[in-house]
Amino acid sequence: MVKFLKPGKVVIVLAGRYAGKKAVIVKNHDEGTSSRPYGHALLVGLSKEPRKVVRKSSQKVQAKRSSVKTFVKTFNYNHIMPTRYTLDVDFKGIVSGDVLDNSTKKVESQKEAKKLLEEKFKTGKNRWFFSKLRF
């Protein structure tokens, strides 16, 4: 069987608090680990997408509306749906498996991921990833 859930692949979360949100695979564990004996992946995703920005708004309002909120979480493969898209953002140095054990490390990694994703949003590429899912 071909392994298609690779780092950089955009997925949609299907269950839980972040259901319907888009995320990117950072690290995947196809065979599982001793603590999680099932296939799972470490994801960084958008819990709040940027909103529409109007040019006549003030700079403060534009900055507020173009901000994103991120999450870092491990998901079972059964609870994510892969898409055909990939996002070329390198989260390797920021997010790792041991980040989830410590809450302060997790918050710091979320802030770093937020900075990277906001930079990516401001370039104007990958518009689909930063738009809200309509269904």
Side-chain angles (χ1 to χ4, degrees):
M1 189 173 159
V2 178
K3 306 288 186 208
F4 58 91
L5 291 173
K6 295 178 180 159
K9 178 72 96 174
V10 176
V11 296
I12 298 172
V13 179
L14 300 176
R17 178 180 180 183
Y18 301 109
K21 302 294 183 183
K22 295 175 196 156
V24 180
I25 296 177
V26 176
K27 184 158 178 51
N28 57 334
H29 301 279
D30 292 327
E31 303 301 320
T33 60
S34 59
S35 61
R36 295 175 190 262
Y38 48 84
H40 61 279
L42 178 65
L43 304 181
V44 171
L46 296 176
S47 59
K48 191 181 91 176
E49 292 87 0
R51 292 158 63 196
K52 188 176 179 182
V53 176
V54 182
R55 193 178 300 156
K56 67 181 179 181
S57 299
S58 67
Q59 291 293 327
K60 185 178 177 184
V61 172
Q62 286 183 9
K64 180 87 170 153
R65 291 181 73 88
S66 63
S67 67
V68 299
K69 190 172 182 185
T70 59
F71 65 87
V72 177
K73 198 166 172 11
T74 303
F75 282 94
N76 188 333
Y77 280 169
N78 294 334
H79 303 300
I80 57 176
M81 181 175 69
T83 63
R84 63 183 176 176
Y85 299 102
T86 57
L87 193 71
D88 53 338
V89 178
D90 188 32
F91 293 112
K92 288 281 187 202
I94 299 167
V95 181
S96 60
D98 62 326
V99 165
L100 298 174
D101 299 334
N102 190 344
S103 62
T104 55
K105 284 185 182 178
K106 184 176 177 181
V107 170
E108 288 300 316
S109 66
Q110 283 177 337
K111 287 179 183 175
E112 291 294 322
K114 175 183 170 147
K115 286 179 188 172
L116 282 176
L117 287 175
E118 282 181 352
E119 286 175 17
K120 192 73 171 171
F121 173 68
K122 288 191 173 97
T123 61
K125 299 231 162 71
N126 303 99
R127 278 281 185 219
W128 181 83
F129 183 74
F130 294 103
S131 63
K132 196 169 186 178
L133 274 179
R134 299 287 181 192
F135 58 91

